[in-house]
Amino acid sequence: MAQDRQVPLDVFVGRAGELARVAEAVTLTRSGQPWLVAVEGDAGVGKTSLARRCLVGAHGFKVLTARANQAEADLEFGLVGQLLRAAGDVSRTALPADGNGTPQSSFAAGACLLEVVGELAAKGPVAIMVDDLQWADHRSVEALTFMLRRLSVDPVIAVVIHRGPRDQLDEAAQRLLLSVENRISLPLGGLAPDEVAALAAAVAGPVADQTVERLYQGTGGHPLYLRTVLSEGSRFDPRNPGRLALPRSLAGAIGGQLRTLPPPTRAALEMLAVLNQRLPLAQLGQAPEAGSASAAIEPAVAAGLVDWQPDEPTCPVELRHLLIRDAIYAGISPTRRRALHQRAVEQVSGLAAWAHRVAALEQPDENLAARLELLAGQEFADGRVPLAATHLQWSSDISPDRAARERRLLTAALYLMQAEESRGLTMRLQVEATEPCPLRSAVLGAIELSSGRFADAIRWLTEALAGMQDDPASYPVAALTANWLSGTYLLLGDGEKGAAYARWALGTGCLDAPGVSSTRTEVAIGTLASAGPAAALSEVAFLDDDPARVGPVDADALAFRGMFRMLEGDLDPAVTDITAALTMVRQGDPLTLGSQPYPNLVLAQYLAGRWDDALLSVEQAFSAATIRLRRYELPLLHLVAACVPAGRGAAEGEQQARQAEEAAASVDSKPLKLYAGMARALVAQAAGDYLGMADALAPWQDDAILDGRSRGRAVLWRPLLAEGLTGSGQTEQAAVVLGLLRDHDGRVSYLQPALAWLQGWLAEQQGDIERAREIYQHGEQTADRQSPVYTARLLLAHGRLLRRTGQRRPAIERLRQANDIYQALRATPFLERTEQELAACHLPSGPRTDRRTAQQSVLALTSRETEVAHLVGKGLSNPEIAAELFISRKAVEYHLGNIYAKCGLHGRQQLRYFVQQWRQPATA
């Protein structure tokens, strides 16, 4: 057997099909199609080698690489930091951060990464390679998902590598793999027999067919296994057909290699396996029995076990693959392993030393467990929650006392349920295995709440609070538990209980400033359900009237003040408040009470006739949802996504309504199912299906059984129910619903035209034409017109009645006003109704100069082109538009080119005038 045989580092064989598929994606990426390539398979199967070979063929691409490390999975934004450093001088010096220098949100980090990648893509195609996704820190995964989802016409290809099938990844990682529309998945298995022959020939020259077959059968074509068997130090000789004995496993093959190496080399390899990191060569000299570091490592490099970088000043070395590390580590005796970990404590610093201290233990150690618990408490206070949870779990593992062990485990789970729910949910079985106690009940309640099982959540959280509320030492956890209980009751529509638990949490005095503000907001939300929006507004009276002077600590309160103002009837102040709060979120300040402000902003903009703004807000809502999405938030999100498409007759309205219904079916909350009913009613409204509208909202028709949440938001859905009942001939029921709407929400100013339209239409349906005319006329003269949506319905209804009673001229006047509003909204189904009525007046709506031309041209634009044009009309520059829409500047330029071509425009000034023409009648 030749003793100088070693596997060349650049040997790559096979995978022709995979290379061809990626090459095609690379070609399409150059033309401006973003792509995502997911490479999956077992460890050592050649995933990274394939990805690197693919990118070698991507000539002219700027390649950004990042690799996750299992030991650094708790270091937030680690992968994002690697990618930004790889971007070079285009990169920002730092991510948006808080006072401690810690990035504040995945949202802000993703926006920063998008800007950097967008700048690079403007100069040429970009490839992003992320290795070992299964170990990526959660916040980086969220930020990457946000960034990838925003790519549209950018020449960017992401190559993401992960172990095993994707269904074994956590939910956030699975979302990342679905974040790009154009994507391919490459599951890798072993090499085929001909590829095994090619690899063997590259290492040892041509080999016999019998040898190839034996190698294939014995290794399954596993590339790393093959390389190890074929490398120097292996006892397998491919040129000796009489010696075909193969090690039974990769670990066995590596073990065989180790036994042929000199003792100093084995000692150096053992130290590398224990440290599990890239190490300057000189540091290996501290390994016991290693002697000369360079002499010790040389045989390991020759055997293909170690990579080293002689071109760097410190000549760093690292084990070539984690499987090699695992095999070496498994072969170290327990006694020697502890000794090596103890030595490693002296060679590393900071957080890495704690892992070695734990690994060096021979028995539980309360002293070290207590130190870790103290460290975790400080990390939690600094906002490094995942790291704090990991250290608490270590502390639990080495605790000699069962009670302390379980307390630390439960506290770790409690931390995660506040900051990284997906990881906290994985601890359920461990939590259930602990002895019953209030802390255990609190964690289980949080798990049930996150999973959308509200009845179980209330049972556990109530039990937890009962066990803690009389113990002042437990007040910090009790306050958190009361907050979770408050939120659960608010989701179920019980405002009184929700507010009561929030007030109890405030009374503990254990909440920090953000906690106090968000809990006071919960009190206000509960008050809305029990006493209405005016009372709710009084609960947030601590806020400055000017939203510009409200600080980030009160972002949640400001956002919900906007919702209360919308429900009270003040649309413009509502939009102003919520927009200001979400501006803070864009700058990195997270919302603690969920993502509801985004849908609330959409609803306010929809009612105010700002439908293009509403589409922008829907985009932002879904972008935020890629960061953190709770199942119970989906029905409302899909409702607001259906509003404008339904009103414009687009198929997306039906799609979003179906998704709202599917999401509502997955949670046990009738108030949340109401959102699905509203979405279905909006789709039916556009189709003129009044019975469908009535059926969609029938479960909420009886006011006596309504929950507080549904009643507090009735101003949003009762007009739809009344319309459905009236249009389907159910006049008695319609009269009851209209009476409730008038009694409870008659003061809401923007609702006045809707009440006049619905009451007048009901009078028509009842045969009282004169009464209907009087109601319509009075409504036109007195009703507030801040909602074009409702104003147009009143004008259309009045114009139709006038036309049918022979009053042609006043009918035409009102129908044209309604027509103008619907043109501005591009509300095609309703526009067709006004056109039909005008035609029935024997006066076609006719061409309407520049305004009509603009309206017809804009209908040819896509949703994204409409959004870009809309923002140009508001005076935003290309960089500002990119930041507003979370897309690249290149994408803005692309969409502008399409807009100019479709609308026959030349330049930005003409586009602004064009937009003014289509938006001009938007105010009723």
Side-chain angles (χ1 to χ4, degrees):
M1 175 177 176
Q3 294 300 311
D4 60 349
R5 187 177 81 244
Q6 57 178 297
V7 182
L9 299 182
D10 58 350
V11 170
F12 183 91
V13 300
R15 311 298 191 192
E18 290 85 353
L19 289 170
R21 293 184 67 190
V22 178
E24 182 181 2
V26 166
T27 300
L28 293 171
T29 299
R30 291 184 192 277
S31 67
Q33 278 190 20
W35 277 81
L36 186 145
V37 179
V39 186
E40 64 181 64
D42 294 335
V45 81
K47 303 184 297 296
T48 304
S49 296
L50 173 65
R52 288 174 177 167
R53 177 54 59 101
C54 292
L55 294 181
V56 165
H59 301 293
F61 276 68
K62 171 70 174 179
V63 180
L64 311 180
T65 62
R67 184 169 192 168
N69 187 313
Q70 189 173 17
E72 298 177 353
D74 296 323
L75 300 182
E76 296 183 341
F77 300 108
L79 279 186
V80 171
Q82 290 183 49
L83 292 172
L84 290 178
R85 288 191 292 273
D89 59 4
V90 179
S91 171
R92 302 293 165 267
T93 56
L95 293 170
D98 61 16
N100 298 319
T102 303
Q104 288 182 285
S105 74
S106 305
F107 190 94
C112 178
L113 188 58
L114 176 65
E115 184 175 0
V116 170
V117 171
E119 290 181 8
L120 291 174
K123 300 177 181 179
V126 177
I128 299 171
M129 177 174 156
V130 175
D131 204 350
D132 284 328
L133 175 66
Q134 72 279 357
W135 293 326
D137 67 276
H138 193 77
R139 303 292 287 278
S140 284
V141 172
E142 293 176 337
L144 279 166
T145 303
F146 175 88
M147 185 271 292
L148 292 172
R149 191 178 183 276
R150 307 310 302 166
L151 300 175
S152 57
V153 295
D154 308 280
V156 178
I157 186 168
V159 182
V160 183
I161 305 163
H162 64 91
R163 286 193 185 183
R166 68 175 58 194
D167 58 8
Q168 294 182 5
L169 297 172
D170 65 28
E171 186 177 343
Q174 292 186 49
R175 281 202 302 269
L176 184 147
L177 296 177
L178 298 174
S179 59
V180 179
E181 181 178 357
N182 305 309
R183 56 184 182 267
I184 54 177
S185 178
L186 301 178
L188 296 190
L191 299 175
D194 61 327
E195 296 169 335
V196 171
L199 180 59
V203 174
V207 295
D209 291 345
Q210 179 188 8
T211 303
V212 171
E213 180 62 22
R214 181 69 185 92
L215 285 169
Y216 176 70
Q217 293 295 334
T219 66
H222 190 281
L224 183 58
Y225 194 175
L226 282 164
R227 286 173 177 268
T228 304
V229 168
L230 294 168
S231 65
E232 181 178 344
S234 169
R235 298 179 180 180
F236 178 80
D237 186 351
R239 289 185 292 271
N240 186 350
R243 257 184 101 244
L244 293 180
L246 282 176
R248 292 186 177 182
S249 66
L250 175 59
I254 295 172
Q257 279 185 294
L258 290 175
R259 286 190 290 273
T260 68
L261 297 175
T265 301
R266 292 201 300 271
L269 289 172
E270 289 174 347
M271 196 66 202
L272 277 175
V274 166
L275 288 170
N276 195 23
Q277 64 183 42
R278 200 167 185 251
L279 196 69
L281 181 60
Q283 292 291 332
L284 276 182
Q286 299 187 49
E289 306 167 13
S292 167
S294 55
I297 206 64
E298 191 171 327
V301 174
L305 297 172
V306 168
D307 290 330
W308 75 306
Q309 307 298 329
D311 295 335
E312 296 184 30
T314 60
C315 298
V317 295
E318 62 181 331
L319 293 171
R320 177 172 289 185
H321 198 280
L322 189 62
L323 286 180
I324 295 175
R325 183 264 173 187
D326 291 344
I328 295 172
Y329 189 80
I332 306 172
S333 69
T335 301
R336 181 169 175 78
R337 190 184 298 173
R338 287 194 298 272
L340 289 173
H341 278 294
Q342 189 61 52
R343 183 179 289 267
V345 172
E346 302 168 3
Q347 289 190 246
V348 299
S349 59
L351 297 173
W354 290 101
H356 292 296
R357 289 189 181 99
V358 172
L361 290 178
E362 198 163 6
Q363 58 187 9
D365 186 329
E366 176 57 30
N367 180 54
L368 182 56
R371 291 169 63 194
L372 278 167
E373 184 175 21
L374 185 64
L375 173 68
Q378 184 59 54
E379 290 165 341
F380 182 79
D382 292 341
R384 294 180 292 174
V385 180
L387 190 60
T390 293
H391 287 152
L392 265 178
Q393 287 177 284
W394 292 355
S395 175
S396 172
D397 290 340
I398 63 174
S399 298
D401 177 68
R402 177 175 179 174
R405 184 165 60 249
E406 293 188 349
R407 173 178 55 77
R408 287 160 177 161
L409 173 73
L410 292 170
T411 305
L414 190 76
Y415 283 178
L416 290 173
M417 290 310 300
Q418 296 175 70
E420 198 170 303
E421 289 179 2
S422 61
R423 185 175 156 197
L425 293 173
T426 65
M427 295 183 65
R428 179 175 192 134
L429 292 179
Q430 293 171 273
V431 171
E432 289 177 338
T434 61
E435 287 293 312
C437 67
L439 183 57
R440 175 181 182 270
S441 298
V443 174
L444 288 173
I447 290 173
E448 298 292 6
L449 172 58
S450 178
S451 304
R453 294 185 287 268
F454 301 134
D456 290 335
I458 286 176
R459 175 171 60 85
W460 284 116
L461 293 171
T462 303
E463 179 181 296
L465 191 58
M468 291 186 286
Q469 60 186 0
D470 295 327
D471 177 16
S474 300
Y475 273 9
V477 178
L480 177 62
T481 303
N483 263 326
W484 279 331
L485 259 176
S486 173
T488 308
Y489 275 115
L490 293 177
L491 286 169
L492 291 172
D494 192 333
E496 291 184 0
K497 287 186 178 178
Y501 280 113
R503 288 193 175 96
W504 190 92
L506 287 170
T508 65
C510 296
L511 300 174
D512 58 11
V516 168
S517 180
S518 62
T519 305
R520 293 177 74 175
T521 305
E522 286 186 314
V523 172
I525 298 170
T527 303
L528 168 69
S530 60
L537 283 168
S538 69
E539 294 290 347
V540 291
F542 61 89
L543 295 172
D544 195 293
D545 288 339
D546 182 359
R549 292 201 292 266
V550 176
V553 72
D554 292 318
D556 281 286
L558 180 61
F560 278 95
R561 185 177 75 178
M563 183 186 78
F564 304 149
R565 283 178 161 174
M566 173 182 66
L567 298 176
E568 182 67 3
D570 297 322
L571 293 179
D572 286 342
V575 170
T576 301
D577 276 355
I578 303 174
T579 300
L582 294 181
T583 298
M584 299 180 201
V585 175
R586 292 166 66 98
Q587 295 168 350
D589 300 298
L591 294 169
T592 60
L593 295 180
S595 62
Q596 189 174 340
Y598 289 98
N600 287 334
L601 178 60
V602 177
L603 291 171
Q605 291 167 330
Y606 173 82
L607 290 169
R610 304 180 190 179
W611 283 16
D612 291 318
D613 283 339
L615 288 178
L616 296 179
S617 299
V618 168
E619 279 287 325
Q620 293 174 2
F622 276 103
S623 295
T626 64
I627 302 299
R628 173 184 285 187
L629 181 64
R630 298 177 176 93
R631 182 182 304 172
Y632 53 77
E633 293 176 333
L634 279 171
L636 178 57
L637 183 59
H638 288 298
L639 159 63
V640 300
C643 286
V644 174
R648 288 178 172 168
E652 186 183 353
E654 170 63 29
Q655 295 167 6
Q656 294 293 343
R658 283 201 305 269
Q659 289 179 281
E661 290 164 345
E662 292 168 2
S666 70
V667 294
D668 59 352
S669 170
K670 188 176 179 181
L672 299 183
K673 297 182 191 299
L674 170 60
Y675 299 134
M678 290 175 65
R680 176 55 57 198
L682 286 168
V683 173
Q685 180 190 54
D689 179 7
Y690 299 114
L691 184 59
M693 294 179 69
D695 288 345
L697 294 170
W700 294 272
Q701 186 171 324
D702 186 353
D703 186 68
I705 61 173
L706 274 186
D707 60 272
R709 184 185 181 98
S710 301
R711 185 177 290 110
R713 293 159 175 78
V715 67
L716 302 174
W717 58 266
R718 270 200 176 121
L720 292 169
L721 176 58
E723 179 182 358
L725 292 170
T726 303
S728 60
Q730 303 176 66
T731 55
E732 290 185 11
Q733 297 95 319
V736 173
V737 171
L738 272 174
L740 291 169
L741 185 63
R742 183 177 56 252
D743 293 344
H744 291 293
D745 298 298
R747 68 188 181 287
V748 175
S749 54
Y750 62 76
L751 191 62
Q752 301 304 315
L755 283 170
W757 147 53
L758 290 168
Q759 289 172 333
W761 189 24
L762 178 60
E764 280 191 74
Q765 295 289 77
Q766 293 170 334
D768 193 343
I769 302 302
E770 187 58 35
R771 173 66 177 154
R773 184 187 296 112
E774 292 175 358
I775 294 173
Y776 290 147
Q777 186 67 39
H778 181 73
E780 282 188 27
Q781 293 171 350
T782 62
D784 184 294
R785 294 196 172 197
Q786 63 174 307
S787 175
V789 176
Y790 289 144
T791 299
R793 297 304 300 268
L794 173 58
L795 291 167
L796 174 57
H798 194 188
R800 181 182 58 219
L801 178 62
L802 291 171
R803 195 263 308 165
R804 291 176 179 175
T805 55
Q807 301 179 65
R808 180 171 172 272
R809 188 178 299 277
I812 291 172
E813 178 186 352
R814 286 160 177 80
L815 291 172
R816 279 182 168 171
Q817 290 181 52
N819 194 66
D820 280 347
I821 294 174
Y822 287 134
Q823 286 276 8
L825 296 174
R826 302 196 300 287
T828 303
F830 303 96
L831 189 59
E832 291 173 351
R833 297 174 197 177
T834 61
E835 298 283 6
Q836 291 170 1
E837 290 295 330
L838 283 168
C841 290
H842 307 294
L843 180 69
S845 55
R848 302 290 295 279
T849 64
D850 291 344
R851 183 181 305 168
R852 167 72 65 160
T853 302
Q855 297 300 340
Q856 292 176 340
S857 297
V858 80
L859 292 175
L861 301 180
T862 67
S863 296
R864 178 65 79 206
E865 290 162 359
T866 302
E867 292 164 358
V868 170
H870 177 63
L871 292 176
V872 169
K874 296 174 73 172
L876 273 67
S877 65
N878 283 10
E880 290 170 333
I881 294 171
E884 182 71 21
L885 296 179
F886 296 112
I887 59 177
S888 67
R889 298 181 188 182
K890 183 179 181 69
V892 175
E893 294 166 0
Y894 171 84
H895 292 307
L896 279 174
N898 286 345
I899 294 166
Y900 295 150
K902 290 180 179 180
C903 301
L905 303 174
H906 303 281
R908 212 176 192 88
Q909 186 172 355
Q910 286 188 5
L911 177 56
R912 285 176 180 164
Y913 176 76
F914 174 84
V915 173
Q916 289 171 3
Q917 293 306 305
W918 100 49
R919 292 174 54 201
Q920 188 172 349
T923 54

